C-alpha cells in the first residue's frame, strides 16, 4: 500500500476516534498503547468544540446548565464536526439539530428557538458592516411613493420568530418562557468614526407576532404597501417598526418601484423607541 494512502487511512481512523471514541478504532490505531491513552486527545478535542458552542450559545448554556449543555454539544460535535477552518462559524446547524435530536426528549420545547436567538446574535456580531441609510435621502421621497419603498437591511439584521417568549429568557435569565408567539429583531449597531459608545454592539428587540410578520415581509424585500397589506401582519404598527429600524441604524438603503417625482418631499420623523 502506498505511504500516502496508508497515511490518509490512518488520519481518517484517528478523526473517527476523536469524534466517536470507538475503543476498537483506538486499539487498531495503536495496539501497543494502554487502553484509554488516546482518550486524552479525544477529551481535548470534544471539550474544545463544546467550549466553542458555549461561546456561540451563551443564553442556552445558562438556561440548560453547563453539564446538560456540554452533553448536547459533544453529541452535536460528534455528528456534525467543523467543516471550515474558522471556529467562529461553527455551530450554524445546532438549533435544527436540537429539533430532531433524541437527547432533547424531556427538555423544554423552547430550547431550539432559544438556540436560534443565540445564533442570530452570534452571526450579527460577525456580519459584514455597511453604512446606515442617510435619513435625508429617505425624507426626499414624495409621499405618494413611500408605499413603493423596498428596504435594504443592514447585513447583521436578522429576525427570529418563535412560539415562546424567548426574548424575556434572554434578557432576564431566570424567566420561564410562556407559549406566546413573538419575534425578536437582532442587529449590530454601526461603529461611528468617532468610536462612540455602543458602536458595534449587538442588540435585540422584542416584537409582537403581528410586527414580526410585518418585519419578515419587509426583510424579504416586500414594499411597505405589500408588507402592510399582508393578512398575517394585521394589527402591526408599521410606523413604530420603521422607527425602531431607523433609530438603531439597521437600514442600509432602499429601492423604489417607481422613479422619484419632483413633488414636495415627505418628512419622516421616527419616534424614539427603546429596543
Amino acid at each position: 500500500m502506498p505511504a500516502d494512502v496508508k497515511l490518509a487511512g490512518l488520519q481518517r481512523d484517528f478523526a473517527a476516534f476523536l469524534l466517536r471514541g470507538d475503543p476498537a478504532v483506538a486499539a487498531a490505531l495503536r495496539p501497543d498503547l494502554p487502553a484509554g491513552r488516546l482518550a486524552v486527545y479525544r477529551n481535548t478535542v470534544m471539550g474544545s468544540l463544546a467550549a466553542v458552542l458555549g461561546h456561540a450559545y451563551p443564553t442556552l448554556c445558562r438556561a440548560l446548565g453547563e453539564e446538560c449543555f456540554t452533553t448536547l454539544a459533544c453529541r452535536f460535535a460528534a455528528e456534525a464536526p467543523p467543516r471550515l477552518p474558522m471556529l467562529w462559524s461553527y455551530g450554524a446547524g445546532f438549533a435544527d439539530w436540537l429539533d430532531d435530536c433524541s437527547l432533547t426528549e424531556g427538555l423544554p420545547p423552547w430550547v431550539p428557538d432559544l438556540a436560534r436567538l443565540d445564533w442570530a446574535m452570534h452571526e450579527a456580531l460577525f456580519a459584514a458592516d455597511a453604512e446606515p441609510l442617510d435619513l435625508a435621502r429617505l425624507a426626499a421621497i414624495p409621499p405618494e411613493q413611500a408605499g413603493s419603498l423596498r428596504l435594504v437591511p443592514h447585513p447583521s439584521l436578522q429576525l427570529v420568530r418563535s412560539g415562546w417568549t424567548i426574548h424575556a429568557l434572554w434578557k432576564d435569565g431566570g424567566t420561564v418562557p410562556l407559549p406566546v408567539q413573538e419575534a425578536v429583531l437582532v442587529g449590530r449597531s454601526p461603529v461611528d468614526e468617532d468610536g462612540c459608545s455602543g458602536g458595534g454592539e449587538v442588540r435585540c428587540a422584542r416584537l409582537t407576532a403581528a410586527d414580526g410578520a410585518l418585519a419578515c415581509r419587509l426583510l424579504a424585500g416586500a414594499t411597505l404597501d405589500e408588507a402592510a397589506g399582508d393578512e398575517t401582519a394585521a394589527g402591526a404598527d408599521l410606523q413604530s417598526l420603521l422607527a425602531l429600524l431607523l433609530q438603531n441604524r439597521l437600514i442600509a438603503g432602499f429601492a423604489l418601484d417607481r422613479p422619484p417625482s419632483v413633488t414636495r418631499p415627505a418628512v419622516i420623523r421616527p419616534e424614539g423607541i427603546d429596543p
Side-chain angles (χ1 to χ4, degrees):
M1 178 183 299
D4 57 343
V5 175
K6 184 177 181 180
L7 176 60
L10 179 64
Q11 291 172 334
R12 283 194 301 269
D13 290 345
F14 187 52
F17 170 74
L18 291 177
L19 295 173
R20 292 183 286 276
D22 188 344
V25 176
L29 286 170
R30 288 294 301 272
D32 56 318
L33 289 180
R37 180 73 63 85
L38 286 177
V40 174
Y41 297 99
R42 182 171 191 272
N43 291 340
T44 299
V45 170
M46 299 305 288
S48 297
L49 292 179
V52 168
L53 290 171
H55 286 300
Y57 295 91
T59 313
L60 183 62
C61 183
R62 182 186 66 201
L64 294 179
E66 187 171 352
E67 183 177 354
C68 178
F69 179 86
T70 300
T71 298
L72 293 170
C74 288
R75 174 71 176 270
F76 173 76
E79 297 182 13
R83 301 297 182 188
L84 298 173
M86 300 176 293
L87 285 181
W88 65 263
S89 68
Y90 179 56
F94 192 38
D96 290 340
W97 180 84
L98 287 169
D99 268 329
D100 300 329
C101 179
S102 61
L103 287 180
T104 59
E105 293 180 4
L107 291 180
W110 43 259
V111 164
D113 283 356
L114 185 60
R116 291 184 176 94
L117 177 57
D118 266 341
W119 187 252
M121 299 190 71
H122 182 76
E123 282 198 316
L125 179 63
F126 291 99
D129 207 357
E131 288 292 327
L133 173 65
D134 181 357
L135 294 185
R137 289 184 56 215
L138 193 59
I141 300 300
E144 66 270 18
Q145 292 191 4
S148 299
L149 282 173
R150 298 184 191 275
L151 302 179
V152 178
H154 188 276
S156 70
L157 187 56
Q158 298 196 50
L159 184 71
V160 180
R161 303 173 75 181
S162 175
W164 298 87
T165 55
I166 54 175
H167 181 266
L169 183 57
W170 166 82
K171 186 176 181 179
D172 300 326
T175 302
V176 177
L178 300 176
V180 176
Q181 290 191 356
E182 68 173 21
V184 183
L185 201 66
V186 177
R188 189 186 70 238
S189 58
V191 179
D192 290 340
E193 292 181 0
D194 59 0
C196 70
S197 176
E201 178 185 359
V202 176
R203 302 172 182 174
C204 67
R206 179 187 178 275
L207 304 178
T208 64
D211 284 347
L214 178 64
C216 184
R217 292 282 283 137
L218 289 175
L219 299 185
T223 66
L224 299 191
D225 281 346
E226 290 170 346
D230 194 308
E231 292 182 359
T232 62
D237 189 339
L238 176 60
Q239 184 177 357
S240 294
L241 178 59
L242 291 176
L244 176 66
L245 293 170
L246 293 170
Q247 186 180 52
N248 287 280
R249 299 181 295 171
L250 293 174
I251 300 300
F254 64 86
L256 275 172
D257 276 3
R258 296 188 298 272
S261 67
V262 293
T263 55
R264 63 183 178 84
V267 178
I268 300 177
R269 297 187 178 90
E271 299 177 0
I273 295 179
D274 184 2

